[in-house]
């Protein structure tokens, strides 16, 4: 698989990725290497990475707990202290080995430690590979508000090795799949159509689908790295999806990121249809495909009210107004759409039906 050039770095695949990793480490003459893992990637992914690292430079492993619950400034503070205590300097490099939580928090602490050290992303979840590790957004949550604190800063290198996915659960695979579906819906109808008959998600030959998903995200980010225009298209399904994810965070009904985004895409497709943007048959197709993959989530009236309240914190708001990135047909997005609360409420009612 050919490397994909991104803005300021490149994305390399499989063995090529490890060759490039070793080349990057030796060319940059790093003083020390830190590898950030969580408890699961330490167990399942580090044994794959370490034999592929060919370097004499000292390596320290830092492990954090797994899960969204630690993606906060308290963990950052602990990590900055650990780096400092272990003697990290401006020529150290941080390798983020994990899912979106590890690459988001690792990218942020590297971008801010001593005003910024190099970091390399090696995503180990599907969601991390096709979305979270690409594009330079990193950061942490503020209370239960998602991704409120962060920077836009790109890694030195991104290595994709789909071998890591062998230990990932089906539920986590489906979570990543949601972002792949989104890439088709906002940008590439032919890509979306490859998922139409995915009754049983078999992940054989999945590499080419991952590759195209990465290409799409990268093409969009390259056109608009700081999200003033087209990059907003990537937020399709995320305005409501993030609010749903935040609302249920740390409850017994908590949803994975992609599961919340999958619901968000159904709700926002309904909104697009009601605004006479998306044709009805395409809306039905989207709802049918997504509902066949993800189990239905229950929303009470109180949930819906609290989710709507959360929208005022959405990062995409401008001048106090909630802005949606919708689609006007499968494969084509439309930006900066304001939506009345009543229409949001009826999208939840339609989802239940
Ligand atoms: P995650 O990082 O929490 O990983 C999910 C679970 O899988 C964790 O328990 C983890 O330990 C485990 N895991 C990781 N790799 C594994 C492997 N190979 N085998 C077995 N278990 C493994 O979650 P995620 O879904 O990867 O990422 C979600 C996060 O990504 C959210 O915080 C979200 O906000 C963020 N995100 C960021 C961006 C961005 O542009 N920066 C985009 C999308 C999502």
């Amino acid at each position: 698989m050919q490397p994909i050039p991104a803005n300021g770095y490149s994305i390399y695949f499989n063995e090529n990725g490890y060759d490039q990793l070793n080349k990057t480490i030796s060319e940059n003459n790093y003083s020390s290497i830190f590898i950030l893992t969580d408890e699961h990637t330490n167990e399942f992914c580090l044994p794959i990475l370490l034999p592929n690292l060919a370097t004499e430079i000292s390596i320290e492993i830092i492990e954090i707990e797994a899960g969204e619950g630690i993606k906060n400034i308290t963990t950052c503070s602990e990590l900055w202290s650990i780096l400092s205590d272990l003697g990290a300097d401006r020529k150290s490099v941080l390798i983020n080995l994990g899912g979106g939580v590890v690459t988001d928090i690792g990218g942020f602490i590297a971008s801010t430690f001593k005003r910024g050290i190099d970091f390399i992303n090696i995503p180990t979840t599907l969601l991390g590979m096709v979305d979270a590790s690409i594009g330079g957004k990193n950061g942490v949550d503020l209370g239960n508000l998602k991704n409120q604190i962060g920077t836009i800063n790109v890694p030195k290198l991104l290595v994709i090795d789909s071998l890591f996915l062998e230990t990932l659960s089906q539920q986590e695979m489906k979570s990543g799949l949601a972002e792949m579906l989104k890439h088709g819906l906002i940008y590439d109808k032919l890509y979306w159509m490859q998922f139409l008959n995915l009754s049983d998600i078999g992940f054989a030959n999945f590499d080419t689908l991952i590759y195209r998903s990465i290409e799409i995200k990268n093409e969009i980010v390259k056109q608009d790295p700081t999200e003033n225009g087209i990059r907003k298209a990537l937020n399709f399904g995320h305005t409501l999806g993030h609010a749903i994810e935040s609302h249920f965070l740390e409850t017994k009904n908590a949803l994975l990121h992609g599961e919340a985004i999958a619901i968000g895409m159904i709700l926002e497709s309904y909104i697009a249809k009601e605004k006479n943007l998306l044709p009805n048959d395409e809306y039905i197709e989207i709802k049918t495909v997504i509902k066949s993959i993800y189990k239905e989530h229950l929303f009470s009236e109180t949930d819906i009210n609290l989710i709507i309240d959360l929208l005022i914190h959405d990062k995409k708001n401008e001048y106090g107004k909630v802005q949606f990135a919708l689609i006007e047909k499968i494969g084509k997005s439309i930006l900066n759409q304001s939506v009345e609360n009543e229409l949001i409420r009826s999208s939840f009612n339609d989802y239940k039906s």
Side-chain angles (χ1 to χ4, degrees):
M1 283 175 164
Q2 287 303 309
I4 300 177
N7 44 337
Y9 67 105
S10 286
I11 305 165
Y12 285 83
F13 293 82
N14 306 327
E15 294 84 43
N16 240 343
Y18 296 115
D19 291 345
Q20 196 59 32
L21 176 64
N22 288 321
K23 196 163 165 239
T24 302
I25 290 171
S26 96
E27 281 178 359
N28 284 280
N29 199 20
Y30 290 121
S31 56
S32 50
I33 299 170
F34 292 85
I35 304 178
L36 183 65
T37 67
D38 70 21
E39 57 201 282
H40 301 136
T41 63
N42 198 301
E43 180 180 352
F44 299 119
C45 306
L46 201 56
I48 297 175
L49 171 64
L50 287 179
N52 282 296
L53 268 181
T55 178
E56 297 296 308
I57 300 168
S58 81
I59 299 175
E60 295 276 2
I61 315 292
I62 305 173
E63 182 187 315
I64 53 178
E65 269 175 49
E68 185 75 24
I70 56 89
K71 207 178 103 173
N72 54 44
I73 208 75
T74 309
T75 310
C76 292
S77 200
E78 287 164 13
L79 288 172
W80 288 316
S81 298
I82 291 170
L83 285 175
S84 183
D85 292 347
L86 292 174
D89 62 24
R90 298 211 59 232
K91 282 300 290 176
S92 300
V93 62
L94 181 69
I95 299 178
N96 299 316
L97 180 70
V101 168
V102 168
T103 52
D104 271 15
I105 201 166
F108 180 63
I109 60 158
S111 303
T112 44
F113 183 74
K114 294 191 189 275
R115 297 202 181 91
I117 61 171
D118 283 355
F119 65 99
I120 292 170
N121 282 343
I122 309 185
T124 62
T125 61
L126 183 58
L127 190 131
M129 291 178 192
V130 299
D131 193 5
S133 67
I134 308 164
K137 278 191 188 176
N138 42 61
V140 292
D141 303 333
L142 184 65
N144 72 341
L145 300 175
K146 293 268 306 162
N147 302 330
Q148 298 281 303
I149 311 294
T151 56
I152 294 188
N153 187 25
V154 295
K156 196 81 184 158
L157 171 73
L158 178 48
V159 177
I160 305 288
D161 181 356
S162 55
L163 193 64
F164 290 123
L165 300 178
E166 285 185 2
T167 51
L168 200 64
S169 69
Q170 281 287 305
Q171 197 191 359
E172 292 290 353
M173 286 296 277
K174 284 187 184 181
S175 179
L177 181 68
E179 300 289 358
M180 299 170 82
L181 298 174
K182 180 194 76 181
H183 289 154
L185 289 174
I186 62 171
Y187 199 74
D188 183 347
K189 183 168 183 173
L190 284 178
Y191 183 65
W192 158 261
M193 285 169 64
Q194 298 189 51
F195 297 98
L196 289 187
N197 294 317
L198 207 67
S199 45
D200 180 14
I201 301 175
F203 288 100
N205 296 326
F206 212 59
D207 280 14
T208 48
L209 290 174
I210 293 176
Y211 189 88
R212 178 64 190 142
S213 195
I214 293 172
E215 269 185 339
I216 293 173
K217 172 144 189 192
N218 186 50
E219 277 169 33
I220 294 174
V221 171
K222 269 173 96 168
Q223 292 170 54
D224 176 24
T226 50
E227 199 169 306
N228 295 310
I230 179 73
R231 186 169 184 170
K232 291 180 188 175
L234 292 165
N235 294 320
F236 172 61
H238 283 60
T239 305
L240 282 164
H242 267 161
I244 291 167
E245 187 183 4
S246 296
H247 174 68
F248 291 108
L249 205 67
E250 289 174 20
T251 72
K252 65 178 180 2
N253 294 323
L255 289 151
L256 296 184
H257 179 75
E259 292 173 328
I261 298 315
I263 299 170
M265 288 193 290
I266 296 179
L267 300 175
E268 294 183 18
S269 296
Y270 173 86
I271 290 169
K273 178 196 68 125
E274 289 296 301
K275 285 172 81 71
N276 289 325
L277 298 167
L278 183 69
N280 186 53
D281 59 333
E282 294 203 339
Y283 166 62
I284 300 293
E285 181 176 302
I286 294 167
K287 186 176 172 184
T288 309
V289 169
I290 296 180
K291 279 201 157 182
S292 73
I293 301 172
Y294 303 89
K295 69 174 188 295
E296 195 160 326
H297 197 80
L298 298 178
F299 295 93
S300 66
E301 283 307 307
T302 313
D303 290 330
I304 295 170
N305 288 333
L306 292 171
I307 288 165
I308 291 174
D309 286 350
L310 277 173
L311 292 178
I312 58 165
H313 296 290
D314 193 273
K315 294 191 304 306
K316 297 175 290 302
N317 294 353
E318 286 173 4
Y319 309 108
K321 290 188 96 176
V322 183
Q323 299 288 317
F324 283 74
L326 300 177
I327 49 175
E328 52 186 339
K329 60 180 180 178
I330 293 178
K332 190 161 191 323
S333 64
I334 177 163
L335 308 178
N336 303 325
Q337 297 293 305
S338 53
V339 178
E340 300 298 322
N341 282 355
E342 271 324 294
L343 184 51
I344 297 175
R345 229 176 275 284
S346 58
S347 72
F348 278 96
N349 290 332
D350 185 81
Y351 170 80
K352 288 186 210 163
S353 68

